[in-house]
Amino acid sequence: MAGPGLLLVLSAPSGAGKTTLAHRFRAREPDARFSVSATTRAPRGAERDGVDYHFVSPARFDELVAAGALAEWAEVHGNRYGTTKATVEEALRAGQVALFDIDVQGGEQIRAHWPSRTVTVFILPPTLAELERRLRGRSTDSGEAIARRLAAARAEIARGLGGYDYVIVNDQLDRALAQLEAVVAHERARLAGRADPEPAAVAAALRRSRFDAAGWDGAGPIG
Ligand code: ADP
Ligand code: 5GP
């Protein structure tokens, strides 16, 4: 169903399951598309150029920045990542849900550029110990990269819980997916000027302002 385009920003500490969730969401929403970012990092596992990322050299990334072609960019874990303005504008024109799998600083910049069209969703792991298990289970990163991602997790969580619109705890994947779908249904209905009571009620319960950070199990130490 085409309608008003929605910029759906998904952020999470690395390993929380955001990519898994985003792909499951996309599989159920033919109208959704991924925003493909440019990055200077090397491809990982089965990642493909132009599908998962546009893999570019540091010099090419410099050119994109100098040309003003990026809506936002950030350095994450020692590599640079950025979203082109053209990607966002095309998604808005097409009236689709554009999924942004980007970090919190990038998500905040997208929202600052397109405030009425952006919804920001922060994905949390059930606990930090489970985050570490998922990172190790994914077995695509070196021990050193995992340690770096875990060290960054607390700061990313603090930022996400500080300013994002919604918080979803990815404990059971099916439940997290249903929650994400309710948020999107609610936000799309809102943009289209329709009332949609059922997703609205689910979405309201997921507002960050309703999230009990003190009661979240992940508040404990890592490991
Ligand atoms: P991210 O994109 O946030 O870095 P991934 O989607 O790559 O994370 O997920 C990290 C690992 O955790 C993957 O091996 C994935 O299969 C697993 N995972 C994702 N969601 C869940 C879940 N709800 N329960 C258990 N494992 C999960
Ligand atoms: P990964 O290397 O695991 O694919 O991504 C590392 C981090 O970079 C993740 O938090 C991811 O969301 C973020 N990221 C990916 N693309 C972009 C982007 O275009 N902009 C920003 N700001 N962050 C991004």
Side-chain angles (χ1 to χ4, degrees):
M1 168 196 75
L6 181 70
L7 309 179
L8 174 62
V9 174
L10 289 182
S11 300
S14 182
K18 160 183 49 122
T19 307
T20 307
L21 199 56
H23 280 89
R24 290 279 296 270
F25 177 83
R26 168 70 184 78
R28 288 166 58 99
E29 295 268 343
D31 184 33
R33 64 155 80 180
F34 283 103
S35 164
V36 181
S37 300
T39 183
T40 58
R41 94 151 155 73
R44 197 163 64 199
E47 287 179 337
R48 282 173 299 160
D49 187 36
V51 177
D52 300 286
Y53 282 107
H54 300 291
F55 294 101
V56 300
S57 66
R60 175 69 188 136
F61 201 96
D62 288 340
E63 282 172 17
L64 291 172
V65 173
L70 299 181
E72 62 79 30
W73 70 271
E75 189 163 328
V76 187
H77 313 312
N79 293 300
R80 285 180 292 164
Y81 298 80
T83 309
T84 66
K85 289 178 184 162
T87 300
V88 179
E89 279 154 8
E90 199 189 317
L92 286 176
R93 256 198 315 276
Q96 292 176 311
V97 176
L99 279 163
F100 293 80
D101 175 344
I102 67 180
D103 80 331
V104 173
Q105 31 182 345
E108 283 169 348
Q109 288 179 66
I110 295 289
R111 184 167 56 188
H113 276 92
W114 293 276
S116 64
R117 296 298 199 92
T118 303
V119 57
T120 52
V121 179
F122 195 70
I123 312 295
L124 277 177
T127 65
L128 290 176
E130 172 64 12
L131 181 70
E132 180 165 2
R133 263 194 299 279
R134 287 183 190 174
L135 279 171
R136 295 196 187 286
R138 188 166 70 181
S139 55
T140 47
D141 294 299
S142 66
E144 192 196 322
I146 288 173
R148 211 164 43 229
R149 284 165 194 271
L150 283 172
R154 280 180 188 283
E156 185 77 353
I157 289 170
R159 289 196 67 164
L161 293 183
Y164 267 34
D165 300 324
Y166 295 97
V167 177
I168 293 177
V169 177
N170 178 22
D171 189 350
Q172 290 171 27
L173 195 55
D174 287 344
R175 184 156 172 266
L177 181 63
Q179 292 180 334
L180 182 60
E181 287 176 341
V183 165
V184 172
H186 167 60
E187 291 290 335
R188 291 202 96 186
R190 190 181 57 76
L191 272 180
R194 288 195 319 267
D196 227 338
E198 205 182 307
V202 177
L206 297 167
R207 300 286 319 184
R208 175 181 49 93
S209 53
R210 301 271 297 270
F211 183 73
D212 173 18
W216 174 60
D217 202 22
I222 291 181

